[in-house]
Amino acid sequence: MYLPGNQKTKKCLKMRGSLSSMGFVGILFWGFSYGINAEKQACGNKSDICEDLCSLCDSSFYTRTECYETLIMIDCHEPFKKTMSNLSATDLCTWDNIMSPYDNFTVCTETKAECLWIPYPNKLVETMFVDIHAKYFKSCPTQEYGDPPPSVVFALVMTPICLIPVMVVLVVMKTKNGDRRS
């Protein structure tokens, strides 16, 4: 999870933000709005962690969306992968074993999106969850519901069909006897 003084996160953002001289000239030519957040944007809430995330992203050379992607890869996805790599194949298919890391990953990505005012759920997170399921849970047995046996289907279909003629006969007999009370 992200801590305000997380040096690994800051270092990675600076490495991503380093530009070659050609890139720097391009940014100057096209203006600061195409790669650098020239002005501070609003922050999701006023907690210390959110303020730190917002200032970290606003001081980088990337948009908040790109910063968000880097943050969740470092602070959310890497710890999740590390936890999942410590589990055996059978443990991966037991919900009690994966519930905590799965929930931590979800909360981490959602919290960072809320702080940076990124819509949640978003395409990036959806793609990450699909990749996680394809990588870790593809060999887990799924409980699929199939059609019931033919004898059960036959009984369920035939019961109302057989009751219709009986109901018609009762209505006709009641009407024939002249008893018009219901």
Side-chain angles (χ1 to χ4, degrees):
M1 186 165 238
Y2 175 78
L3 299 173
N6 190 338
Q7 296 301 318
K8 184 178 177 185
T9 304
K10 289 179 182 178
K11 184 177 178 183
C12 187
L13 280 173
K14 285 181 182 176
M15 285 175 33
R16 262 190 95 179
S18 63
L19 298 170
S20 67
S21 59
M22 197 63 156
F24 183 72
V25 170
I27 287 176
L28 287 176
F29 180 72
W30 291 104
F32 284 103
S33 63
Y34 284 95
I36 299 175
N37 294 327
E39 58 195 48
K40 186 174 180 181
Q41 298 174 3
C43 201
N45 65 43
K46 298 301 177 195
S47 70
D48 290 339
I49 291 176
C50 278
E51 290 293 330
D52 287 344
L53 282 175
C54 291
S55 64
L56 180 67
C57 288
D58 290 342
S59 66
S60 71
F61 285 98
Y62 289 94
T63 65
R64 281 209 175 168
T65 304
E66 293 167 333
C67 183
Y68 172 70
E69 179 180 356
T70 303
L71 286 171
I72 64 172
M73 290 303 289
I74 296 168
D75 294 340
C76 306
H77 196 245
E78 288 302 320
F80 178 80
K81 286 189 334 187
K82 184 177 179 182
T83 303
M84 296 304 274
S85 67
N86 293 332
L87 297 175
S88 68
T90 54
D91 289 340
L92 286 175
C93 296
T94 307
W95 178 245
D96 290 335
N97 296 331
I98 61 162
M99 180 174 46
S100 180
Y102 196 87
D103 185 52
N104 289 342
F105 178 74
T106 304
V107 169
C108 181
T109 57
E110 187 173 2
T111 302
K112 287 180 180 11
E114 179 183 307
C115 285
L116 298 172
W117 278 18
I118 307 275
Y120 192 91
N122 53 56
K123 187 72 171 164
L124 172 65
V125 173
E126 289 172 0
T127 302
M128 290 178 84
F129 273 106
V130 169
D131 292 344
I132 284 170
H133 282 256
K135 181 176 181 178
Y136 296 107
F137 309 124
K138 68 180 174 189
S139 62
C140 293
T142 58
Q143 189 177 25
E144 293 183 24
Y145 297 107
D147 291 334
S151 58
V152 173
V153 172
F154 182 75
L156 291 172
V157 169
M158 290 308 292
T159 302
I161 290 173
C162 292
L163 285 176
I164 291 172
V166 171
M167 296 302 289
V168 169
V169 168
L170 286 173
V171 168
V172 169
M173 285 178 48
K174 186 89 165 161
T175 315
K176 206 175 198 180
N177 290 336
D179 189 5
R180 301 199 185 255
R181 289 178 294 166
S182 302

